[in-house]
């Protein structure tokens, strides 16, 4: 009798747990969808913040170098401002527009290949249809009813006769 009660309790917990999960998912679908989208937005904003922090660190290092070496400004000014350098006996390489476009494409591919983070799970997207949500809700309710009807504790024969 003890083994039977343990099995009934185990089946009750399994059926009730699955039914509750199905009911909760069907009822709180919009909140789950909003949660995963917010999580995805947070991940992308964190990546953007890391890029900005990296740029700030680079600019801080450049400013520090400019303070330490004033001649550096004269060397980088033509490249930054787009003017022609006029130092004699120095050859400066010319970059064509095609080379710049190729470099931009490579950099764009690198940034696209990075994973975007936590995307919305496919099972939540499938639940977006109202008919599937109704089915999920009905199945959850049915599992809870089955767990209470079929696996509820039973009275022993000796207790009923009293």
């Amino acid at each position: 009798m003890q083994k039977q009660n343990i099995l009934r309790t185990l089946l009750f917990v399994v059926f009730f747990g699955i039914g509750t999960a199905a009911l909760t998912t069907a009822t709180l679908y919009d909140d789950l969808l909003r949660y995963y989208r917010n999580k995805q937005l947070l991940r992308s904003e964190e990546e953007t913040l890391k890029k900005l922090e990296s740029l700030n660190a680079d600019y801080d290092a450049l400013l520090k170098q400019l303070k330490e070496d004033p001649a550096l400004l004269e060397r980088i000014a033509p490249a930054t401002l787009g003017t022609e350098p006029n130092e004699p006996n120095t050859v400066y390489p010319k970059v064509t527009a095609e080379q710049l476009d190729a470099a931009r494409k490579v950099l764009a591919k690198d940034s696209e290949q990075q994973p975007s983070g936590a995307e919305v799970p496919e099972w939540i997207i499938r639940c977006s249809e109202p008919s599937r949500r109704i089915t999920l809700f009905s199945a959850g309710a049915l599992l809870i009813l089955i767990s209470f009807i079929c696996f509820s504790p039973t009275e022993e024969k000796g207790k009923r006769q009293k």
Side-chain angles (χ1 to χ4, degrees):
M1 199 62 162
Q2 184 68 13
K3 289 182 183 180
Q4 204 173 31
N5 285 338
I6 291 173
L7 181 63
R8 287 175 94 83
T9 304
L10 181 65
L11 288 174
F12 174 80
V13 168
V14 169
F15 274 60
F16 186 77
I18 293 172
T20 304
L23 274 174
T24 304
T25 302
T27 307
L28 300 176
Y29 166 76
D30 295 328
D31 293 331
L32 282 172
L33 186 63
R34 194 175 320 121
Y35 168 76
Y36 281 106
R37 288 204 175 134
N38 286 343
K39 197 172 180 182
Q40 189 175 17
L41 285 172
L42 178 65
R43 179 81 40 102
S44 67
E45 294 302 319
E46 285 175 346
E47 289 174 4
T48 304
L49 181 65
K50 286 179 184 177
K51 288 178 186 176
L52 289 174
E53 287 174 347
S54 172
L55 283 174
N56 280 342
D58 292 344
Y59 285 130
D60 287 341
L62 183 61
L63 288 173
K64 184 179 177 185
Q65 288 177 354
L66 285 173
K67 286 180 183 176
E68 293 173 358
D69 185 16
L72 180 66
L73 186 60
E74 294 172 8
R75 291 189 303 236
I76 65 169
T80 305
L81 300 175
T83 61
E84 290 291 323
N86 56 2
E87 293 183 28
N89 300 327
T90 306
V91 178
Y92 293 98
K94 299 284 183 185
V95 179
T96 63
E98 293 85 19
Q99 291 172 333
L100 287 175
D101 286 339
R104 283 189 191 112
K105 287 178 184 177
V106 168
L107 290 174
K109 284 181 184 176
D110 286 344
S111 65
E112 287 175 3
Q113 289 178 354
Q114 294 176 350
S116 62
E119 295 182 10
V120 178
E122 201 168 312
W123 63 271
I124 290 182
I125 295 170
R126 284 191 305 242
C127 290
S128 65
E129 296 177 23
S131 62
R132 290 189 180 191
R133 286 177 66 190
I134 290 171
T135 304
L136 188 62
F137 185 87
S138 302
L142 186 64
L143 280 173
I144 290 175
L145 284 174
I146 288 172
S147 65
F148 277 115
I149 292 171
C150 296
F151 305 116
S152 63
T154 58
E155 295 180 18
E156 294 180 18
K157 292 180 182 177
K159 289 183 180 178
R160 277 191 231 164
Q161 292 175 357
K162 288 185 181 179

